Amino acid sequence: MSISDYFVVSQWFFTLYFIAMHAGYLILNFLSIIHIRKYMDHHSVTNLPSIYTGLEMPISLLVPAYNESITIVDSILALLQLNYPDYEIVIINDGSSDDTLEVLKEHFELKAFPESYYFRLPTKKIKKVYISKKFPNIRVIDKDNGGKADSLNAGINIARCPLFCAVDADSILQTNSLDRIVQPFLEDPRTVAAGGSVRIANGCKIERGFVTKADLPNNILALFQVTEYLRAFLFGRLGWSPLNALLIVSGAFGLFHKETVVSVGGYKSNTIGEDMELIVRMHRLLRKRKKPYRIKFVPDPICWTEAPEDLKTLGNQRVRWQRGLSESLMSNLGLMFNRNGGMVGWLAMPYMMFFELIGPIIELAGLISVAIGFYLGYISYEIALIFFTIAIGFGILLSLVAVLLEEMSFHIYTNPTYIFKLLICALIENFGYRQLNSFWRMKAMFLEITGRKSTWGSMKRKGNNT
Amino acid sequence: MEYILGYGISTETLLELGKGLMKAVFIFTVLIFIQVVIKRASLVYRNYRRQRFINTWRPILMESVAVVPDKLPKLDKRFIYDFINEWNTLYDKIGGTSHDNLIELAKKTAIQRTAIKLLIAPNIKLQLIGVITLGNMRNEGAWPFLVSIAKNSETTLSMAAYRALSQINVDKALVELLPQLVSRIDWPASMVAKILKSTRNPKICELLQEASYKAKEEELPNIIRYVNVLKCSNASQLYRQVLDKQVDDQIISLCLRELTDPTAIDLVHRYLDYPRWHVRVAVAHALGSIGGPDDLEYLKKMLSDKQWWVRYRAAEAIVNLPFVTNEDVSKIRNDLQDERAQLIIDQVIAERDME
């Protein structure tokens, strides 16, 4: 095969790969559109009888905290204002080197409590358990540092309620968040986990720990992430949910059936993406045990998070996410194409593996190959142009569908001009930003293959709480 | 045309495919862009018109809570659903005789005709609006339609229909739909329980007991819960009858947790060493609520159970037993040899002291 033949064949390969990948995305979009219409039909009737009043299942909110002394009090005060009849808050001080514990002790009048600790999941040493004299539904575990997964496991061990909700200390919840996310558990007793939609808080008006007005950020990177989150949540997850093939429940806000999580061994401490790994493992083990279960996604915007506004932090975050994806898939490979794998084993996992995991490598390789072929004269101007146009065109199309889904459902951004801002953002994010993301994801794959550690970096928070 | 590897893989074919794809992507992109803009524009326009309509009708609705005005403006058919929604929202917020006034207003505006039409709408959202409205209006004419929806539809709609029927005539709804109450395991028990609490029909307990004879195993938990909610005098008899059958251990737990009759303590004793821990948790709970001084020894033994929750419930039961004093608890704690048992008693005492 001559060099010229190589370029033709490789262009065919890349084109077909792109078509398959985007066809998959478009099918997910189609499923999401159907699902969101049904969901809105069911949930937008304002006068539905309050059918679940009195049936709400008690929830343990688990809040891991590591060096959060500046924000922890405000976060907990906001959690105390949630509209839900029965919940407890378990804060896990993960060996903070700052004065997180002292701040908590002072504000919530903590006193040491003789908790008969229930060691079901192994964790680092628990130093002490405290209970608040001011708010009896607040308990604090003080433990040796072991990371987020270890903290959550400690929280699960001490949690009293049948459901637990993992909340990042910096997540901003809506007052009705718990009410919304618990619905799948009430509607279907087979539900073992539910994830909510996460939105970008940058630019929003935040008062007393709650988002009171959704606004778009001025920072261009944060703005790109708004469209990106719309895409990730409104069709990336909504599309898989009705197939019971959801592989990710965001670590920022997810609700779990405690006994099921304990039965699969809790969170894995030695992984970067502990939230995704847990979900994939739940799928694998529950399918293996032939236990009927559901993992659901609630599309309502119920959790807000601050997005990185500088390239370094964003890059670190994306590298971590990609490595988390890689670890989650690789450590549960047994699920893929398994006889009992169902939709998740035969569709979602291969899709994640071939398009999300190795997609960035092929995408960048395709773009580079076209550029080289064109430079060396093996690929015509027309072919190169078509290739780039399709690659970018599909990206724009997908971002626009995400904006459409938002328009079909929640209209979070009420100001009409915002929709134009989002539309423009959906166009321009495909020129540079998306490729940058592919680069970070490829870097993550390189680090993963070579076994090198990725840096966590520190999130530069603006803390726009008023 | 240049072919490579003899498989028709050529630059020309790729070019053709690429051009076709490019056109398709471009067309879809433009269409979606336009659709987003149109959707937003129509939302803004609709909200504007709707606001004007509401500004006219909201004061009338508020006034109607006290007295229904004699003269009403013409109801614009385009906003009938908005009116119905406003009416239902207000109906939910207020109570007592004001409901009668709102029903009078609804009759004057003839929204029941629209509500009945909505029952056969193709969209579940509209059907729900129809069902809720007819229930709030206590429209007896809609009874057969609502019965049919309650019997045949999916969870949300059937529940709403059942609720509407109970608003119209709670006793009739209970008797007529008792088989559904028992068999619809998708209906939240608490919703049904709320409705059951509002009935004064003395026959319901008997009907539930009769239903339990024929009930499938998955239907038994509902019957057990309802009998408990109604505080039926025949509850213990029913639990005994259920427990005498070979039933799932979830049902055993449920029966034990619901026991309130001290004469049924023998039922609890049957399960003291049951292998499934959640049943032993229910046993500890039951001993705490209906147990006597003789049962204290069983509870002490349970403080050393291998399952944390059994130990916890046993400790709770001991601390809260009416005939056990604080001194007794301290003595029990000091006499314990097992460290886990001591720790759990300490925790429960600390919790009690917090209250």
Side-chain angles (χ1 to χ4, degrees), chain B residues 52-336:
Chain B
R52 277 182 51 185
F53 173 82
I54 285 171
N55 289 345
T56 311
W57 276 93
R58 195 167 278 169
I60 297 170
L61 279 159
M62 296 307 291
E63 193 187 334
S64 301
V65 172
V67 184
V68 181
D70 290 333
K71 284 188 178 176
L72 295 170
K74 196 171 182 294
L75 187 63
D76 187 340
K77 295 279 180 234
R78 285 174 299 177
F79 297 105
I80 187 111
Y81 300 144
D82 292 306
F83 177 78
I84 292 176
N85 265 338
E86 284 286 316
W87 184 86
N88 280 322
T89 308
L90 188 60
Y91 187 96
D92 271 2
K93 280 185 191 157
I94 59 166
T97 52
S98 311
H99 276 164
D100 297 335
N101 291 346
L102 277 184
I103 291 169
E104 194 189 328
L105 175 73
K107 283 178 181 163
K108 274 191 169 182
T109 48
I111 59 171
Q112 74 271 22
R113 282 205 299 264
T114 312
I116 286 179
K117 278 183 199 161
L118 288 179
L119 296 183
I120 49 162
N123 178 323
I124 189 173
K125 177 180 166 181
L126 296 176
Q127 284 178 300
L128 275 168
I129 294 174
V131 166
I132 292 163
T133 311
L134 291 166
N136 286 345
M137 287 185 74
R138 298 173 214 149
N139 188 308
E140 291 196 17
W143 187 272
F145 305 112
L146 293 172
V147 168
S148 162
I149 294 172
K151 282 183 179 173
N152 305 318
S153 305
E154 57 82 59
T155 310
T156 317
L157 195 57
S158 61
M159 276 194 304
Y162 185 70
R163 182 185 181 255
L165 288 166
S166 65
Q167 283 174 292
I168 298 168
N169 186 337
V170 65
D171 291 341
K172 193 177 163 192
L174 278 173
V175 175
E176 201 168 320
L177 287 158
L178 194 77
Q180 273 68 40
L181 275 190
V182 171
S183 64
R184 292 292 302 238
I185 50 174
D186 56 332
W187 287 359
S190 75
M191 181 205 75
V192 183
K194 255 168 109 181
I195 295 168
L196 284 170
K197 275 183 181 171
S198 63
T199 182
R200 287 183 198 87
N201 190 334
K203 281 188 177 170
I204 291 297
C205 288
E206 284 171 41
L207 290 171
L208 283 169
Q209 185 158 12
E210 272 174 37
S212 74
Y213 297 131
K214 297 173 232 160
K216 294 178 196 153
E217 192 161 305
E218 66 266 25
E219 295 168 357
L220 283 172
N222 275 354
I223 299 179
I224 294 164
R225 286 189 193 104
Y226 302 154
V227 163
N228 187 265
V229 165
L230 289 167
K231 299 192 171 30
C232 291
S233 56
N234 58 352
S236 299
Q237 198 188 337
L238 190 138
Y239 300 148
R240 192 176 292 278
Q241 168 208 317
V242 170
L243 291 172
D244 282 341
K245 291 182 189 174
Q246 286 290 323
V247 285
D248 179 75
D249 34 72
Q250 294 292 346
I251 298 174
I252 300 174
S253 289
L254 188 66
C255 282
L256 293 176
R257 277 200 302 269
E258 305 289 4
L259 281 175
T260 51
D261 177 7
T263 63
I265 195 76
D266 61 305
L267 288 176
V268 184
H269 292 155
R270 283 188 203 174
Y271 301 100
L272 280 168
D273 297 314
Y274 200 81
R276 298 297 298 272
W277 67 271
H278 65 86
V279 174
R280 297 200 303 278
V281 170
V283 167
H285 177 88
L287 289 176
S289 56
I290 61 167
D294 294 346
D295 296 307
L296 194 57
E297 281 309 310
Y298 297 129
L299 285 169
K300 280 191 214 169
K301 199 179 148 203
M302 291 178 117
L303 288 174
S304 297
D305 195 284
K306 58 180 188 263
Q307 274 294 333
W308 188 90
W309 277 107
V310 181
R311 299 201 297 273
Y312 182 71
R313 288 284 176 241
E316 242 185 0
I318 290 172
V319 169
N320 294 320
L321 278 171
F323 49 85
V324 174
T325 62
N326 288 353
E327 289 73 36
D328 294 336
V329 174
S330 302
K331 188 173 180 311
I332 291 168
R333 189 248 177 250
N334 294 334
D335 289 348
L336 289 167

Side-chain angles (χ1 to χ4, degrees), chain A residues 26-300:
Chain A
L26 289 173
I27 291 168
L28 278 181
N29 270 307
F30 181 68
L31 289 172
S32 305
I33 288 173
I34 294 172
H35 190 62
I36 201 112
R37 285 180 78 112
K38 269 193 193 165
Y39 184 85
M40 295 311 288
D41 273 357
H42 271 77
H43 294 260
S44 64
V45 181
T46 51
N47 303 104
L48 266 180
S50 48
I51 46 181
Y52 297 118
T53 307
L55 192 73
E56 295 89 349
M57 299 159 92
I59 295 174
S60 299
L61 287 175
L62 308 184
V63 191
Y66 177 70
N67 291 348
E68 304 272 359
S69 63
I70 296 166
T71 54
I72 191 76
V73 171
D74 285 339
S75 305
I76 302 302
L77 288 175
L79 290 179
L80 283 167
Q81 295 174 60
L82 295 176
N83 285 337
Y84 197 74
D86 194 358
Y87 68 99
E88 62 165 0
I89 300 171
V90 179
I91 307 155
I92 307 106
N93 178 41
D94 189 29
S96 296
S97 53
D98 69 355
D99 56 347
T100 300
L101 185 64
E102 282 64 39
V103 168
L104 285 169
K105 275 183 185 172
E106 193 190 323
H107 272 86
F108 299 106
E109 294 178 24
L110 301 181
K111 71 165 196 175
F113 186 75
E115 181 87 25
S116 160
Y117 192 77
Y118 188 14
F119 271 106
R120 295 210 286 178
L121 299 168
T123 65
K124 295 274 181 186
K125 191 183 161 206
I126 306 295
K127 293 186 209 162
K128 217 167 236 179
V129 176
Y130 298 89
I131 193 160
S132 165
K133 284 196 265 180
K134 240 173 156 179
F135 306 98
N137 63 334
I138 292 183
R139 279 182 298 160
V140 177
I141 304 175
D142 185 29
K143 64 180 275 289
D144 285 349
N145 181 263
K148 188 180 168 187
D150 192 69
S151 302
L152 287 170
N153 284 340
I156 293 169
N157 283 339
I158 208 175
R160 296 281 171 79
C161 307
L163 302 179
F164 76 85
C165 182
V167 187
D168 278 353
D170 53 354
S171 291
I172 302 166
L173 305 185
Q174 300 279 98
T175 48
N176 60 355
S177 295
L178 294 179
D179 221 18
R180 295 286 175 98
I181 202 165
V182 82
Q183 293 297 326
F185 288 87
L186 302 175
E187 287 166 2
D188 189 342
R190 293 170 300 178
T191 308
V192 294
S197 198
V198 180
R199 298 292 180 94
I200 301 291
N202 305 46
C204 294
K205 193 176 173 194
I206 299 166
E207 286 173 313
R208 300 197 324 158
F210 294 104
V211 171
T212 50
K213 188 174 183 288
D215 211 333
L216 290 172
N218 291 322
N219 178 285
I220 190 76
L221 276 180
L223 190 60
F224 286 150
Q225 288 172 79
V226 173
T227 343
E228 212 180 6
Y229 271 56
L230 282 181
R231 231 176 26 218
F233 285 94
L234 282 183
F235 74 73
R237 300 197 187 167
L238 194 57
W240 291 116
S241 179
L243 304 174
N244 197 28
L246 189 65
L247 283 173
I248 309 170
V249 163
S250 172
F253 188 57
L255 188 62
F256 297 85
H257 183 250
K258 190 176 70 184
E259 288 307 318
T260 308
V261 171
V262 171
S263 78
V264 300
Y267 287 92
K268 204 168 153 185
S269 301
N270 55 350
T271 182
I272 295 172
E274 71 286 330
D275 43 3
M276 182 178 180
E277 198 283 328
L278 173 67
I279 295 294
V280 184
R281 183 154 35 92
M282 279 168 85
H283 275 295
R284 179 168 63 82
L285 295 177
L286 295 176
R287 287 207 162 268
K288 195 175 167 189
R289 293 172 195 165
K290 296 190 176 162
K291 191 185 168 206
Y293 71 96
R294 290 283 178 276
I295 295 176
K296 296 269 183 77
F297 175 71
V298 180
D300 298 65

